[in-house]
Amino acid sequence: MKTKLFSRDFSLMLLGQIVSLLGNALLRFALSLYVLDLTGSAAVFGGVLAASMLPTILLSPVGGVLADRIPRQRIMYVLDFITAAAVWNFALFGRGGSILPPTLLLLALSAIQACYQPSVLSSLPLLVPQEELTRANALVTQVAALSSLLGPILGGALYGLLGLGPICLVGAGCFLCSAVMECFLRIPFTPAPTKGSLSAAGADLGEAARFLSRSGLLPLLGVVAGMNLFLSSLYLVGLPFFVKVTLGLSTQLYSLVEAAMGLGTILGAVLTGLLGNKLSFSRSWRFILLASLSPLAMVPAVGVLSSPMASWLALLLAALLGMVCAGIFSILAQTYLQTVTPAPLLGKVGSFVTAVATCAMPLGQGLYGLLLDRFPPFLAPALTFAACLPLTWLARRTLNRPNCNM
C-alpha cells in the first residue's frame, strides 16, 4: 500500500474519473432535457428518471460481487469502452423524435455505472493509507461533483445551441479517453476463494447483508433510502419542472440550478477534506437536518413569489445549501463504512448499501411526477420537509450508539 495520498495509481484513477464522470453528466443532463422537451409532461419525465434508476438497484450488488472477484481496473476500462460504443451508436441512429432510444440509453448508462462504481469505491482503501481515507473519499466526491457542476453548464450551452448530437460525440470521446487511461492502472487484487457461480454470488451478498446487520447500521440505511425517496426525488424531478414549466425559464437557467447542486457537493467535500478528523460521524445527523431545511425555501419560491427570477434564485440557493450538507454526510458515512468493512467484503458491502439506498428513488420520482402534474407546485417541497423530520430523528438515534463514535 502507498504511504501518500497522491500515488501514481490513485492519481491515474482520479483523472480517469474526471473524464468519465464529465461525459456521464453531460449525457444524463442532455438526455433528460431531451425527454422533457419531447413530452412536456412531469409524469412522463419522472417515470423515465425512475426507470433509469432501476438498473442501479438491481445491478449494484452484481457490481460489488464482480469488484471482489475480477481485477477492478479491468472492470473499469471494459465498461468505459462499452459505454463509448453505445453512445456513439445513439448519436448516429437514435435521435428520431421518439422517447424510447434516449430512455434506453439512460437505462444503459445507469446499468453500466452500477457495475462500475463499486470497483472505484472499493479500490480506495487499497490505494491510500487509512489516515488519508477521508481525504481520498472527499476528492472522489469532488470529482463527481465537479462533473455534475460542469456537465449542466456545458450541456446547457451545447444543447441550447447545437442540440443533442454534439453532446453525444463529446460524451463518447470522454469514455474512450477514460478507458485508455484505466488500462494502465494497477490495483491490488486477491481473487475470491470460491468459483464465480450464481450460488457463490448469492452467498457473497448474504455475507454482506449479515455484516451490515451486525454493524447496527441498517436503520441508517433506511434513513438514506427515505431521504432519496423524498429529498433526492424533489431535486431530480421537482427542480427542472419548477424552472422550465412552473416558472417558464430557459434550459440555460435550469443548467445553473443543477450546476449549483454540483457546486454544493464540491463545497461539502472541500469542507470535509479541510476539517478531516474534526468531523464526527456520530454527529453527522445534523447535516441531514440542515439538508432537510432546503425544501422550505422552495415553498415560497413556487407558491408565493411573483417574480420568476426571484423564485429561480431562491431555488438555486436552496439546492446549493442542501447539497453542501448532504455531501458532508455522504463522505463521512462512506469513510466510516470503508473503515469498518473487512477488505474481502469492500465491493459487496458498498454495492449492497448503494442498492438499498437507491431503491426508493424510482418510487419517489414517479410519485413527484404525479404530484407536480395534479397538485399546486408548492405542495411537493412542503411534503418533502414534513417527511424528512422523522428521518432526521431516526438518524440521530442510530448515530448516538457507541459503535458509531468515529
Side-chain angles (χ1 to χ4, degrees):
M1 182 179 289
K2 301 293 183 181
T3 58
K4 59 182 180 178
L5 178 59
F6 289 102
S7 65
R8 169 196 177 275
D9 292 301
F10 176 71
S11 301
L12 190 59
M13 188 180 75
L14 203 62
L15 183 59
Q17 284 283 285
I18 293 173
V19 178
S20 178
L21 291 176
L22 177 60
N24 194 285
L26 278 169
L27 287 166
R28 285 182 175 274
F29 178 80
L31 288 168
S32 62
L33 287 185
Y34 182 63
V35 169
L36 186 59
D37 286 342
L38 285 176
T39 65
S41 168
V44 174
F45 178 61
V48 169
L49 289 181
S52 71
M53 296 303 301
L54 290 177
T56 301
I57 298 170
L58 298 175
L59 295 180
S60 287
V62 176
V65 172
L66 292 176
D68 290 334
R69 292 180 173 273
I70 299 174
R72 294 174 174 90
Q73 68 271 21
R74 187 184 304 170
I75 295 173
M76 294 179 198
Y77 67 68
V78 167
L79 291 178
D80 270 338
F81 277 129
I82 292 174
T83 308
V87 174
W88 180 268
N89 283 325
F90 174 82
L92 295 179
F93 308 113
R95 294 175 294 120
S98 167
I99 68 167
L100 182 60
T103 300
L104 291 177
L105 183 57
L106 280 170
L107 288 169
L109 290 173
S110 180
I112 291 170
Q113 195 70 7
C115 295
Y116 179 97
Q117 251 346 84
S119 294
V120 174
L121 296 177
S122 62
S123 296
L124 293 182
L126 305 174
L127 295 178
V128 300
Q130 182 173 331
E131 62 270 18
E132 296 285 3
L133 194 53
T134 299
R135 289 183 60 205
N137 277 301
L139 282 169
V140 171
T141 300
Q142 288 177 55
V143 165
L146 183 62
S147 300
S148 298
L149 173 65
L150 295 178
I153 294 174
L154 297 176
L158 289 175
Y159 186 82
L161 294 174
L162 302 174
L164 186 60
I167 297 177
C168 292
L169 297 179
V170 171
C174 287
F175 288 114
L176 183 61
C177 291
S178 177
V180 172
M181 285 188 285
E182 288 159 353
C183 288
F184 298 95
L185 271 175
R186 297 192 302 264
I187 301 174
F189 175 70
T190 302
T194 56
K195 296 181 178 180
S197 62
L198 289 175
S199 60
D204 284 349
L205 295 177
E207 188 177 3
R210 288 190 295 273
F211 169 78
L212 286 169
S213 179
R214 293 193 302 269
S215 71
L217 293 177
L218 285 181
L220 190 60
L221 280 183
V223 170
V224 176
M227 297 296 289
N228 282 335
L229 175 65
F230 295 104
L231 189 62
S232 297
S233 298
L234 177 69
Y235 284 1
L236 292 173
V237 179
L239 285 175
F241 187 82
F242 293 153
V243 174
K244 290 180 63 67
V245 179
T246 304
L247 302 179
L249 299 176
S250 66
T251 296
Q252 286 77 12
L253 285 174
Y254 169 62
S255 71
L256 292 178
V257 174
E258 187 155 327
M261 290 191 282
L263 178 60
T265 306
I266 290 174
L267 292 175
V270 169
L271 288 172
T272 307
L274 290 175
L275 296 175
N277 294 330
K278 295 180 181 179
L279 292 173
S280 169
F281 180 56
S282 63
R283 297 179 180 177
S284 61
W285 62 269
R286 298 176 181 179
F287 298 107
I288 299 179
L289 175 61
L290 292 174
S292 301
L293 297 176
S294 66
L296 280 182
M298 300 183 190
V299 175
V302 296
V304 176
L305 296 178
S306 58
S307 168
M309 290 307 298
S311 296
W312 172 81
L313 182 60
L315 292 174
L316 185 147
L317 292 176
L320 173 68
L321 296 176
M323 291 306 297
V324 169
C325 299
I328 294 174
F329 172 77
S330 178
I331 294 168
L332 293 176
Q334 181 68 43
T335 302
Y336 178 80
L337 190 65
Q338 290 171 340
T339 301
V340 301
T341 302
L345 297 179
L346 282 169
K348 294 182 281 289
V349 169
S351 62
F352 189 91
V353 168
T354 298
V356 173
T358 309
C359 67
M361 291 186 70
L363 178 60
Q365 288 165 350
L367 172 64
Y368 277 83
L370 292 174
L371 278 175
L372 292 167
D373 265 356
R374 299 183 181 184
F375 297 97
F378 71 87
L379 184 63
L383 172 66
T384 303
F385 172 70
C388 287
L389 290 181
L391 293 173
T392 303
W393 173 83
L394 179 58
R396 180 182 181 182
R397 181 180 178 184
T398 302
L399 290 170
N400 279 338
R401 294 173 180 173
N403 59 336
C404 292
N405 288 329
M406 171 187 166

